[in-house]
């Protein structure tokens, strides 16, 4: 299988000349090809077969211990003008970047096979979908891309028909962290990644294409490429609403995308369209429609269990790849939080003997599973609809232990963009060396392929073009009490905030105006099946004036980074917040 498309063949030839592989293999995506790659990786130890009774067709992979998460400091956006990449991206001039990385690619595939992977992001027959080709020397990347994207012959046929595709070149190199780069050339629709075999650094369809290159294309073509889950909510009357939600990495997207309505929600159903990325386009009527460009989940393992996310657990019974989790003696997997008590004995993610209390985690905190989306029990019947699903609300939120209420609604679209532009989050294990607390606008700080000031302006302009713009809401599941314990039960009970959001956009739920936005009163939320006293609720909704003013003051420096690129609305919204806070009591509380 080679291609009819001359530009693709020429690029493959050029790459082969540079990287000097022993063999070139064009991936057709077939079952036979997948089986052969897995057999080869099982033989050389790259994959370990799990127990075929409990986990048929499942595999464990242990990555190099220094290669376990995204590396933001080595991830570059290489535009001709530095201003186009913005202060939110590390930048290098394209000529210098190509020279630097091509020197590392020279001869990097000697003795290896070069795989050519044609893939489609999104349903193969959707006009919203886009294609790419990843060239890699990692068979682990090939088998993961086969789960995460529509890969192989049908994608190649679409590429030949369309004549355009995103070029992604990847080599694991020698996994030396000093010779590792993840570079994006949005003006050339090109990605070059070397020195890492890990998820977001190596599966180039995901963050590199679908978000960094995708957001660049979306801006110039009038659509949105977002770090958002997509879910559907159906109430007992059979009325269905779709929402998209942006939470930063390891802040709850996969969990929220597949929540099971809690006790008290009999007759309600939540369905999953996607758990990480959304491509959203206005239709001819000016309604936003979203597709999930992915075909699988690359989800966080730790914390996933029968109680927190039963749908995820059920997804993982077969046909999955586990990366950096622990192995039991029966050939099963384990991670922190899977069971309350750890098994008495395990092989940890680095391959060492492990016993409870030995002082090391058994699974890496950023250990992950790769699983086919079609296996998610809650998958929505329309998840592959080429037209996408209509979006009625956007939800944004970070992991913030202090200050912000459980849920509130923006006053209007521009205020919603401001709420998303200023959201922050505490560090997680999804990326190496994150600051303890940082602003992560729209959960896109590591993924926006252009100047974040322009990105906010793009969001504002999309909103202006919509006759019925979706509501924008902010949530925070992670508020902690003085003992450091989560106040909100989270997980399935997040349904209570979700129901309020759905009812708000349908115009049938109450709220009061707080300095931050529209907040539900205790009586505006459905508490059936949950013991959560009003006093406790008041605690996570009240607004401390001084803390609010300090937050607004801190946003000055955040906004200043963007200079002329900052849309005027952002600073005006900040001043409106200050004005509201200055008129509010020292502690703003719900009166009812
Ligand atoms: P990425 O795949 O990195 O983009 O992460 P994600 O946003 O999909 O996060 P995920 O749903 O995998 O959750 C990350 C961690 O947060 C897991 O350990 C979850 O158990 C935990 N988590 C998710 N939802 C909640 C919640 O409502 N409350 C609390 N306390 N923890 C949660
Ligand atoms: C994230 O970090 O947001 C992920 C995992 O979803 S990765 O594919 O590494 O980006
Ligand atoms: Mn993510």
């Amino acid at each position: 299988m080679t291609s009819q498309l001359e530009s693709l063949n020429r690029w493959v030839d050029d790459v082969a000349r540079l990287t000097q592989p022993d063999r070139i293999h064009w991936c057709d995506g077939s079952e036979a090809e997948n089986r052969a790659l897995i057999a080869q990786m099982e033989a050389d130890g790259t994959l370990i077969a799990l127990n075929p009774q409990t986990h048929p067709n499942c595999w464990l992979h242990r990555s190099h211990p220094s290669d376990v998460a995204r590396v933001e400091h080595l991830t570059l956006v290489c535009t001709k003008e530095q201003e186009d990449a913005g202060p939110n991206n590390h930048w290098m001039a394209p000529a210098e970047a190509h020279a630097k990385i091509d020197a590392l690619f020279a001869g990097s595939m000697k003795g290896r096979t070069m795989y050519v992977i044609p893939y489609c992001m999104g349903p193969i027959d959707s006009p919203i979908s886009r294609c790419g080709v990843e060239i890699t020397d990692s068979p682990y990347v090939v088998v993961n891309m086969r789960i995460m994207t529509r890969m192989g012959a049908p994608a190649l046929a679409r590429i030949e028909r369309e004549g355009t595709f995103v070029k992604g070149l990847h080599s694991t190199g020698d996994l030396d962290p000093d010779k590792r780069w993840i570079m994006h050339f949005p003006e050339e629709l090109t990605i070059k990644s070397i020195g890492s075999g890990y998820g977001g650094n190596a599966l180039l369809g995901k963050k590199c294409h679908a978000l960094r290159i995708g957001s660049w294309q979306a801006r110039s073509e009038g659509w949105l490429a977002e770090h958002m889950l997509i879910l559907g909510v159906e109430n007992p009357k059979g009325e269905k609403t779709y929402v998209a939600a942006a939470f930063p990495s390891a802040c709850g997207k996969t969990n929220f995308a597949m929540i099971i309505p809690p006790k008290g929600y009999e007759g309600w159903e939540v369905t999953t369209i996607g758990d990480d990325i959304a491509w959203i386009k206005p239709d001819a009527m000016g309604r936003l429609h979203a597709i999930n460009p992915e075909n699988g989940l690359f989800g966080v393992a730790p914390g996933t269990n029968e109680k927190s996310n039963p749908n995820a657990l059920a997804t993982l019974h077969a046909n999955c790849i586990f990366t950096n989790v622990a192995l039991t003696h029966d050939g099963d997997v384990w991670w922190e939080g899977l069971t309350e008590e750890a098994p008495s004995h395990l092989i940890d993610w680095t391959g060492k003997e492990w016993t409870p209390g030995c002082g090391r985690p058994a699974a890496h905190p950023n250990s992950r599973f790769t699983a086919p989306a079609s296996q998610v029990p809650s998958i929505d019947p329309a998840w592959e609809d080429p037209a996408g699903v209509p979006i009625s609300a956007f939800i944004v939120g970070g992991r913030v232990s202090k200050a912000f209420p459980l849920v509130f609604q923006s006053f209007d679209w521009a205020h919603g963009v401001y709420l998303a532009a200023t959201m922050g989050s505490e560090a997680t294990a999804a990326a190496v060396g994150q600051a303890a607390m940082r602003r992560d606008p729209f959960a896109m700080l590591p993924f926006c392929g252009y100047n974040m000031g322009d990105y906010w302006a793009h969001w504002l302009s999309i909103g202006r073009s919509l006759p019925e713009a979706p509501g924008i809401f902010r949530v925070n599941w992670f508020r902690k009490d003085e003992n450091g314990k989560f106040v909100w039960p989270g997980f399935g009970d997040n349904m209570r905030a979700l129901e309020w959001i759905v009812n708000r956009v349908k115009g049938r739920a109450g709220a009061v105006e707080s300095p931050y936005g529209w907040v539900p009163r205790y009586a505006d939320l459905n508490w059936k099946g949950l013991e959560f006293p009003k006093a406790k609720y008041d605690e996570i909704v009240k607004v401390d004036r001084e803390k609010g003013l300090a937050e607004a003051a801190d946003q000055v420096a955040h906004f200043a980074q963007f200079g002329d690129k900052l849309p005027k609305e952002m600073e005006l919204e900040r001043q409106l917040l200050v004005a509201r806070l200055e008129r509010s009591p020292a502690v703003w509380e719900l009166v009812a």
Side-chain angles (χ1 to χ4, degrees):
M1 188 176 107
T2 46
S3 170
Q4 305 295 311
L5 194 67
E6 205 193 317
S7 61
L8 173 53
N9 290 326
R10 209 177 321 117
W11 175 56
V12 170
D13 286 346
D14 289 346
V15 168
R17 213 168 300 117
L18 175 67
T19 58
Q20 298 172 28
D22 282 11
R23 286 166 298 277
I24 300 179
H25 176 89
W26 286 72
C27 298
D28 61 13
S30 65
E31 189 56 49
E33 174 184 85
N34 192 52
R35 265 202 305 271
L37 286 171
I38 285 173
Q40 167 202 327
M41 285 189 278
E42 208 186 335
D44 71 16
T46 306
L47 293 182
I48 298 166
L50 296 179
N51 186 328
Q53 258 80 53
T54 54
H55 282 93
N57 196 28
C58 287
W59 314 88
L60 168 66
H61 172 72
R62 296 190 186 117
S63 75
H64 190 278
S66 70
D67 186 31
V68 293
R70 285 182 293 102
V71 281
E72 294 177 4
H73 59 298
L74 303 174
T75 300
L76 310 182
V77 170
C78 308
T79 46
K80 284 187 208 122
E81 301 297 328
Q82 180 165 9
E83 200 187 32
D84 291 333
N88 46 297
N89 282 303
H90 296 289
W91 176 85
M92 198 181 281
E96 185 192 347
H98 280 301
K100 205 169 232 152
I101 202 163
D102 286 352
L104 298 174
F105 274 116
S108 69
M109 297 191 189
K110 269 188 197 148
R112 303 180 186 178
T113 300
M114 180 174 112
Y115 301 95
V116 181
I117 314 171
Y119 65 85
C120 181
M121 298 311 289
I124 202 91
D125 54 350
S126 169
I128 306 175
S129 302
R130 295 296 168 91
C131 292
V133 177
E134 176 166 356
I135 296 180
T136 181
D137 55 9
S138 162
Y140 168 81
V141 165
V142 179
V143 296
N144 274 275
M145 283 291 282
R146 184 167 182 267
I147 299 174
M148 295 305 297
T149 72
R150 279 89 176 170
M151 179 266 255
L156 183 62
R158 180 166 170 162
I159 289 167
E160 286 167 345
R161 211 167 49 240
E162 292 181 333
T164 60
F165 60 97
V166 169
K167 296 187 179 87
L169 172 56
H170 170 256
S171 169
T172 50
D174 50 15
L175 294 178
D176 178 351
D178 291 329
K179 291 193 244 158
R180 184 175 293 165
W181 292 107
I182 324 296
M183 294 180 176
H184 303 74
F185 304 88
E187 288 143 336
E188 303 164 36
L189 300 187
T190 295
I191 305 154
K192 292 184 177 179
S193 164
I194 196 161
S196 168
Y198 170 78
N201 302 331
L203 310 178
L204 301 186
K206 195 171 175 55
K207 295 313 191 344
C208 301
H209 177 168
L211 289 180
R212 297 196 191 93
I213 302 287
S215 62
W216 177 280
Q217 293 183 298
R219 181 196 173 204
S220 63
E221 298 167 10
W223 50 284
L224 300 165
E226 301 300 325
H227 191 202
M228 290 183 179
L229 66 94
I230 311 164
L231 62 75
V233 195
E234 194 174 322
N235 69 14
K237 291 192 192 124
E239 179 189 62
K240 186 126 184 201
T241 311
Y242 291 97
V243 310
F247 310 149
S249 301
C251 291
K253 287 182 300 301
T254 300
N255 278 268
F256 195 51
M258 40 184 93
I259 65 173
I260 294 191
K263 228 169 84 203
Y265 274 85
E266 290 68 29
W268 287 78
E269 198 187 0
V270 173
T271 48
T272 310
I273 291 86
D275 83 318
D276 198 53
I277 301 178
W279 280 359
I280 309 166
K281 221 174 192 166
D283 66 9
M285 311 290 290
R287 269 208 94 170
L288 291 179
H289 281 257
I291 63 161
N292 170 9
E294 302 193 277
N295 193 39
L297 322 176
F298 185 62
V300 176
T304 307
N305 62 51
E306 201 48 68
K307 263 205 209 129
S308 64
N309 194 348
N311 273 324
L313 221 54
T315 304
L316 304 180
H317 69 282
N319 314 313
C320 293
I321 299 165
F322 295 87
T323 300
N324 295 336
V325 302
L327 183 66
T328 74
H329 284 283
D330 316 324
D332 269 331
V333 286
W334 193 83
W335 49 76
E336 276 67 22
L338 176 61
T339 52
E340 248 167 71
E341 223 175 289
S344 59
H345 198 268
L346 291 167
I347 312 293
D348 76 7
W349 68 277
T350 66
K352 285 208 226 33
E353 297 288 322
W354 185 94
T355 49
C358 70
R360 292 174 283 120
H364 187 275
N366 192 40
S367 54
R368 299 223 169 213
F369 50 78
T370 319
S374 60
Q375 288 181 195
V376 176
S378 57
I379 201 77
D380 192 281
W383 85 282
E384 297 193 281
D385 189 331
V389 297
I391 296 297
S392 299
F394 288 109
I395 307 174
V396 303
R399 181 183 283 270
V400 200
S401 48
K402 294 184 204 87
F404 284 103
L406 178 70
V407 55
F408 55 106
Q409 181 180 12
S410 71
F411 297 121
D412 58 21
W413 183 270
H415 182 233
V417 172
Y418 162 78
L419 289 180
T422 51
M423 76 193 216
S425 202
E426 286 152 22
T428 69
V432 174
Q434 259 184 47
M437 176 81 197
R438 68 175 186 185
R439 294 203 187 266
D440 188 351
F442 285 84
M444 282 289 277
L445 180 68
F447 307 119
C448 182
Y450 62 101
N451 192 307
M452 186 66 82
D454 289 331
Y455 170 85
W456 296 334
H458 180 53
W459 262 85
L460 290 168
S461 104
I462 290 273
R464 276 191 291 273
S465 73
L466 304 175
E468 274 182 90
I472 302 181
F473 297 80
R474 198 156 117 175
V475 299
N476 177 22
W477 315 139
F478 297 94
R479 193 118 157 208
K480 289 183 178 166
D481 64 17
E482 53 286 352
N483 303 316
K485 286 199 70 171
F486 292 118
V487 181
W488 179 245
F491 302 102
D493 284 307
N494 294 335
M495 184 74 205
R496 299 172 197 281
L498 182 57
E499 182 194 357
W500 180 77
I501 288 168
V502 166
N503 286 335
R504 281 297 286 175
V505 296
K506 305 276 180 206
R508 53 177 185 233
V512 291
E513 188 182 325
S514 88
Y516 288 139
W518 293 103
V519 173
R521 288 158 300 191
Y522 188 71
D524 294 321
L525 292 179
N526 179 354
W527 297 105
K528 217 167 129 195
L530 176 71
E531 195 58 47
F532 198 81
K534 179 168 181 308
K536 217 163 149 187
Y537 179 71
D538 289 346
E539 214 37 50
I540 55 171
V541 174
K542 71 180 183 193
V543 178
D544 182 300
R545 185 180 60 204
E546 291 314 308
K547 277 191 197 148
L549 286 169
E551 162 66 19
D554 193 63
Q555 291 169 6
V556 173
H558 173 53
F559 283 165
Q561 301 173 74
F562 300 95
D564 295 347
K565 295 280 192 186
L566 181 77
K568 275 211 178 76
E569 288 90 335
M570 297 297 99
E571 173 56 17
L572 290 171
E573 290 292 348
R574 195 192 69 80
Q575 290 178 21
L576 281 170
L577 171 64
V578 171
R580 286 191 301 270
L581 284 164
E582 281 174 348
R583 280 172 202 283
S584 81
V587 179
W588 181 93
E589 283 180 291
L590 287 171
V591 287

